[in-house]
Amino acid sequence: MLNYAKTWRNRVVKKEEDTLDKPYKKRVSAQKMPSRLEKEKAMPDELVMALNKAKALSSRNGVAWLMFEKNQLIASYSGFAGDPMFASLERLEPATHKRHLYISSPPHRHSYKSSELEETAEKWELDVVCFPQLSNAMNKALVVEAHESKNYTLHTPALSPKNESIFFGPAMLENHQRPWTTCFISMNSQGLGVKYDHFLSGFGAESTFHHALTKHTIVAIQKSLTQSDPHLHAIKEKCYAIDIENADALAQLQSKLARGGQSSLVTLCDYAFFCALADANTVDECRTYMALTELPNFQPSPISMGEHTNTVPSLLGWKVTSTHIFDAGVLIQIRRANQYNQTT
């Protein structure tokens, strides 16, 4: 069980360090790309690009770096926190101009060590290294290493706490020894289950949903959902899925994944199951699709109805972080407040 997370990770993630990006004739401006990162003051475009590249892979535990020489991109990488960041790229041609490396993360236990960065800088003949400076709370949560170097110029522009969500997975793993856990629920306004294909019929919903699944290595699925929603069998073919029966089973899975270094987990469940997870403090955010129009006939199980009426969490400390309108309903994202970032 401890090895399947890393085994599947190698199958899901295509490591970009195996092939170098073709050099751009002009420097690519982050302003010309779809921006996932809120605008930061005094943040180099290249670092914004690295952060967006990390977020594109995983919004909770992605990492990335970009290397430039004479304003041309000569190498890049993206992966999950905990993967080796600099190990697999062979030595480049000798530098003819200044080389700049932009990294989405500062050095910490779940990204890379300062010593690794020094070895990389010497091997690649780096002149400038740039990575973001995090808030005091996040620095403490991640146990970020203090780093200085006399061999190259180091830039550390500040990243606002609003943009630190990409570090939630490693911070949760470091502080609570479990992965950051996100639930997906599909239901109607009465809390009764709706098949996921009803959600996926809305414009943009399928990409939102499948991005979360295919970009994470492990997906936990409530066992009773698999029996009632045939579409979940197709979902299982796109990711590594594990059936779970209750909150205790999820907690055991989280513990095993944490020992394997896995820092994020997606869970597909119904509302009653989410309530149990929220009460057990084993889930950190929830993305609920609430179907409002063109509703099919529902046949809720007696178990679901009984649990739904008796188990309603207070969700004290939770808040709505975003809403998205789709053809047949709305997607509501809520998140639990946490000790290392209260502002996002």
Side-chain angles (χ1 to χ4, degrees):
M1 179 67 75
L2 295 180
N3 294 325
Y4 63 76
K6 291 186 178 296
T7 300
W8 182 254
R9 177 181 303 170
N10 293 331
R11 294 173 53 193
V12 175
V13 182
K14 181 180 180 182
K15 298 299 183 183
E16 298 184 19
E17 66 272 26
D18 293 335
T19 58
L20 300 183
D21 292 354
K22 294 181 180 180
Y24 293 131
K25 293 182 179 180
K26 298 180 180 179
R27 187 182 72 174
V28 180
S29 171
Q31 296 177 353
K32 296 180 181 179
M33 302 175 63
S35 178
R36 301 177 183 87
L37 186 73
E38 293 187 17
K39 187 176 181 181
E40 297 279 1
K41 295 181 179 179
M43 180 75 71
D45 288 349
E46 295 86 350
L47 182 56
V48 174
M49 291 168 61
L51 287 160
N52 284 341
K53 189 178 184 70
K55 278 195 170 186
L57 182 62
S58 174
S59 61
R60 294 295 175 262
N61 69 336
V63 291
W65 55 255
L66 304 173
M67 186 187 300
F68 288 84
E69 183 175 343
K70 199 180 179 179
N71 292 333
Q72 293 183 337
L73 181 64
I74 61 173
S76 68
Y77 164 89
S78 63
F80 293 112
D83 290 344
M85 290 185 65
F86 307 119
S88 58
L89 185 61
E90 297 296 330
R91 181 182 294 274
L92 301 176
E93 294 296 326
T96 58
H97 299 84
K98 288 186 177 181
R99 283 181 177 168
H100 297 231
L101 179 64
Y102 299 87
I103 315 174
S104 66
S105 172
H108 62 81
R109 179 181 175 186
H110 303 285
S111 61
Y112 60 93
K113 298 179 180 179
S114 294
S115 58
E116 294 179 73
L117 181 56
E118 289 300 307
E119 293 175 4
T120 299
E122 181 179 358
K123 178 180 178 180
W124 294 347
E125 304 177 67
L126 298 178
D127 297 282
V128 176
V129 172
C130 181
F131 55 73
Q133 177 182 337
L134 309 183
S135 65
N136 291 335
M138 186 59 76
N139 278 330
K140 182 178 180 181
L142 290 174
V143 193
V144 171
E145 296 182 35
H147 182 70
E148 295 181 357
S149 179
K150 297 180 180 179
N151 300 321
Y152 51 82
T153 302
L154 179 63
H155 296 306
T156 57
L159 182 69
S160 73
K162 291 184 178 181
N163 288 321
E164 290 183 340
S165 59
I166 196 172
F167 301 104
F168 283 178
M172 182 61 66
L173 186 61
E174 178 68 26
N175 288 269
H176 298 285
Q177 293 74 55
R178 69 168 178 82
W180 178 273
T181 304
T182 302
C183 282
F184 271 84
I185 302 173
S186 183
M187 67 182 191
N188 67 3
S189 59
Q190 295 179 324
L192 302 180
V194 178
K195 292 181 178 180
Y196 282 94
D197 58 355
H198 186 73
F199 167 40
L200 300 180
S201 65
F203 175 77
E206 186 168 2
S207 61
T208 300
F209 185 67
H210 281 260
H211 176 267
L213 300 185
T214 59
K215 298 305 182 182
H216 293 74
T217 57
I218 303 295
V219 178
I221 302 181
Q222 181 183 350
K223 188 173 183 178
S224 59
L225 277 188
T226 306
Q227 300 168 352
S228 61
D229 189 347
H231 183 76
L232 292 182
H233 294 289
I235 291 176
K236 285 185 174 183
E237 296 178 356
K238 299 178 182 293
C239 57
Y240 193 98
I242 298 175
D243 289 333
I244 53 173
E245 296 185 352
N246 49 47
D248 289 339
L250 181 67
Q252 293 175 15
L253 175 61
Q254 288 175 324
S255 179
K256 293 176 181 178
L257 293 177
R259 291 198 296 272
Q262 180 71 19
S263 60
S264 67
L265 172 67
V266 170
T267 301
L268 307 183
C269 62
D270 62 19
Y271 180 69
F273 197 93
F274 162 70
C275 292
L277 298 180
D279 282 339
N281 196 26
T282 56
V283 62
D284 306 293
E285 65 183 328
C286 182
R287 299 177 184 181
T288 302
Y289 172 72
M290 187 170 293
L292 300 175
T293 62
E294 302 178 2
L295 298 179
N297 294 325
F298 298 104
Q299 297 294 333
S301 66
I303 296 178
S304 295
M305 292 189 66
E307 290 182 357
H308 170 66
T309 56
N310 295 328
T311 309
V312 180
S314 65
L315 298 183
L316 180 65
W318 290 64
K319 63 179 180 179
V320 176
T321 57
S322 67
T323 59
H324 300 279
I325 299 174
F326 296 110
D327 293 343
V330 60
L331 179 66
I332 305 171
Q333 180 169 311
I334 61 175
R335 185 186 303 161
R336 185 194 300 274
N338 53 72
Q339 72 280 7
Y340 47 82
N341 195 317
Q342 300 286 347
T343 61
T344 59

